[in-house]
Amino acid sequence: HYSPPFKKLQRAVRSPSGGPPLLPSKKPLEEASKYSREANEGLAAADGKRRESAEFRVVRLNQIWEKAQRLHLSAVKLAELHSDLKLQEKDELSWKKLKAEGLDEDGEKEAKLRRNLNVIMTKYGMNGKKDSQLVDTNYIKDGTESDTLDDPRLEKLWSKAKTSGKFSDEELDKLWREFKHHKEKIREYNILLETVSRTEDIHKNVINPSEENLVKEEILHNKHRELKEKLRSINQGFERLRKVSHQGYDTTSEFEEPRVIDLWDMAKSANFTEKELESFREELKHFEAKIEKHHHYQKQLEISHQKLKHVEETGDKDHLNRNKEKYAMLQEKTKELGYKVKKHLQDLSSRISQGLQHNEL
């Protein structure tokens, strides 16, 4: 049986001489409450401070970010993760508002958020599985020869393109970026497919085991527009790579950046009016400029990180502090631009998605 602390303190204590009971003085009680009040205020202040210094407003995302600091990711990859988590945070906070208004009754938006988070964890090698980590992007080394594309069809196309004599060195660099982007799209699709398969019971109504995977994928594609669109984008992207590899670059091509080329190809097959398509094209030009700016800062961050490591070894304190300040500034700028690029990509993709849905109706 629990009795409150105050009553315990007020209980009569027998006098050693057998006289009347002694009541404890109020002083220890006042002091006790004073100390516990101070302790509570101290804890609250510490908690507030921790929240203020926390990188994200969602506890789980903070835990992921803290874990990532210990993972030896490159400076650029860490900044990329930060941008991904920032976007996830924005989506989670929006969802909380929706939920409070009773607007996610079927839980589909919540399930999508969980899937997105799993994709992020897998992408940066934080899901506890071996070999799931992204190959680090090093902007100083070109690395085209040692990098693999993990797909025989892509390897064959790239090999043909390199030896065809149709491309200048600059165009080959551009084409390699497109191949790497395509590889990354396939990887993200596979992560999403695996996540969705794992979280949903779709083994029922399978006709025979050999057809199991085909049936499974078909059900998932019908159920998940996101998977359908990613696969459509992969198929379109492969056709484009095949065409460019065989014919060389079209001199009238407007866009250089693989993500922008993807969006433009998708936009042309969406249900946009001529005016809407023209407006979208203009917006893509701004988006491409934003991506280029982000790439510039990623390169600067990589160089600054290498320089900082060198200065740490040689050990001039003033020099070290100056380099630390520059590195911190570049880190913030790269995170901020990374978030803006991802947010803009999300908005543009969502508009195309609505146009494509309209086509299917």
Side-chain angles (χ1 to χ4, degrees):
H1 176 68
Y2 171 77
S3 59
F6 180 73
K7 286 191 176 165
K8 278 183 183 168
L9 274 171
Q10 287 288 44
R11 238 183 238 139
V13 178
R14 288 260 160 236
S15 159
S17 60
L22 299 172
L23 279 171
S25 92
K26 282 192 177 178
K27 199 173 176 192
L29 178 62
E30 282 164 3
E31 280 180 5
S33 69
K34 179 184 151 205
Y35 289 137
S36 66
R37 187 171 64 247
E38 280 172 7
N40 286 337
E41 281 167 3
L43 281 170
D47 195 40
K49 223 173 192 177
R50 198 162 54 245
R51 269 204 298 272
E52 267 174 46
S53 67
E55 200 71 30
F56 300 96
R57 285 151 66 191
V58 177
V59 175
R60 188 169 66 256
L61 300 184
N62 261 324
Q63 289 166 343
I64 293 169
W65 179 243
E66 281 163 18
K67 181 183 174 185
Q69 312 290 307
R70 305 188 289 271
L71 274 187
H72 307 299
L73 293 173
S74 73
V76 170
K77 200 52 66 192
L78 206 53
E80 273 292 279
L81 170 62
H82 190 278
S83 309
D84 276 332
L85 292 175
K86 210 72 188 155
L87 197 61
Q88 177 77 9
E89 177 182 57
K90 175 191 76 72
D91 292 344
E92 288 203 18
L93 295 173
S94 302
W95 168 75
K96 276 182 182 170
K97 279 185 191 165
L98 280 182
K99 196 186 177 196
E101 293 160 18
L103 291 174
D104 186 28
E105 281 178 18
D106 59 358
E108 183 42 47
K109 284 190 169 60
E110 184 180 8
K112 187 173 187 293
L113 282 172
R114 274 204 305 273
R115 286 198 298 273
N116 286 352
L117 191 60
N118 187 73
V119 168
I120 292 171
M121 300 279 282
T122 308
K123 194 167 135 187
Y124 294 94
M126 297 173 71
N127 62 343
K129 291 183 184 176
K130 281 188 177 176
D131 302 325
S132 64
Q133 198 165 319
L134 260 179
V135 176
D136 258 342
T137 314
N138 186 334
Y139 286 94
I140 294 170
K141 293 200 294 269
D142 176 29
T144 51
E145 294 309 314
S146 60
D147 273 343
T148 58
L149 292 164
D150 301 336
D151 181 330
R153 292 188 313 164
L154 292 180
E155 298 280 5
K156 198 173 169 185
L157 274 184
W158 172 242
S159 178
K160 269 188 179 170
K162 269 197 310 186
T163 53
S164 69
K166 289 191 175 96
F167 300 94
S168 66
D169 286 351
E170 200 176 309
E171 284 175 331
L172 269 181
D173 280 349
K174 179 181 165 185
L175 185 61
W176 177 250
R177 280 206 310 276
E178 287 200 50
F179 271 97
K180 291 288 284 178
H181 171 65
H182 191 77
K183 172 189 169 179
E184 198 45 48
K185 278 203 303 189
I186 293 171
R187 188 172 179 277
E188 288 199 5
Y189 167 79
N190 286 332
I191 293 171
L192 185 64
L193 182 65
E194 188 199 339
T195 304
V196 172
S197 309
R198 219 179 35 242
T199 52
E200 294 183 24
D201 179 22
I202 46 153
H203 295 282
K204 292 163 191 158
N205 308 326
V206 169
I207 300 147
N208 75 54
S210 64
E211 290 175 15
E212 184 173 332
N213 285 338
L214 284 173
V215 174
K216 190 168 163 180
E217 218 162 304
E218 187 58 35
I219 294 168
L220 288 173
H221 282 146
N222 288 339
K223 199 167 178 186
H224 291 284
R225 191 165 295 282
E226 200 183 350
L227 276 171
K228 211 171 187 173
E229 283 169 10
K230 276 188 187 293
L231 193 61
R232 181 195 271 133
S233 171
I234 285 169
N235 291 334
Q236 275 191 348
F238 183 75
E239 276 312 302
R240 179 191 150 70
L241 283 174
R242 203 169 57 79
K243 193 177 163 193
V244 172
S245 300
H246 285 99
Q247 298 173 9
Y249 274 111
D250 178 359
T251 48
T252 60
S253 169
E254 291 181 76
F255 302 110
E256 300 260 320
E257 162 59 41
R259 278 171 290 185
V260 181
I261 292 167
D262 265 359
L263 287 168
W264 182 233
D265 284 346
M266 299 282 274
K268 284 185 287 189
S269 56
N271 197 22
F272 289 143
T273 64
E274 221 166 288
K275 197 178 174 185
E276 284 171 335
L277 200 57
E278 190 47 48
S279 156
F280 199 80
R281 178 200 302 239
E282 283 308 307
E283 198 168 336
L284 284 179
K285 286 179 186 171
H286 293 300
F287 181 50
E288 188 163 64
K290 200 180 277 183
I291 291 175
E292 279 165 15
K293 190 176 178 184
H294 181 225
H295 277 330
H296 167 76
Y297 273 95
Q298 284 182 314
K299 285 175 190 169
Q300 294 306 309
L301 179 66
E302 181 71 45
I303 291 164
S304 173
H305 188 238
Q306 302 289 347
K307 200 171 173 185
L308 183 60
K309 282 201 286 195
H310 175 70
V311 173
E312 275 173 345
E313 285 161 17
T314 54
D316 172 349
K317 203 175 178 184
D318 287 345
H319 198 189
L320 181 63
N321 286 339
R322 277 200 307 278
N323 274 278
K324 274 185 176 170
E325 278 171 26
K326 187 178 181 189
Y327 178 65
M329 180 276 287
L330 285 168
Q331 219 176 11
E332 283 314 303
K333 194 70 185 164
T334 310
K335 283 179 195 171
E336 183 195 322
L337 275 167
Y339 171 73
K340 284 180 179 171
V341 164
K342 286 174 195 290
K343 169 80 173 68
H344 202 165
L345 178 63
Q346 189 186 53
D347 295 343
L348 293 167
S349 304
S350 159
R351 273 166 52 195
I352 289 175
S353 178
Q354 283 161 11
L356 290 170
Q357 277 177 48
H358 197 75
N359 273 1
E360 288 171 10
L361 293 177

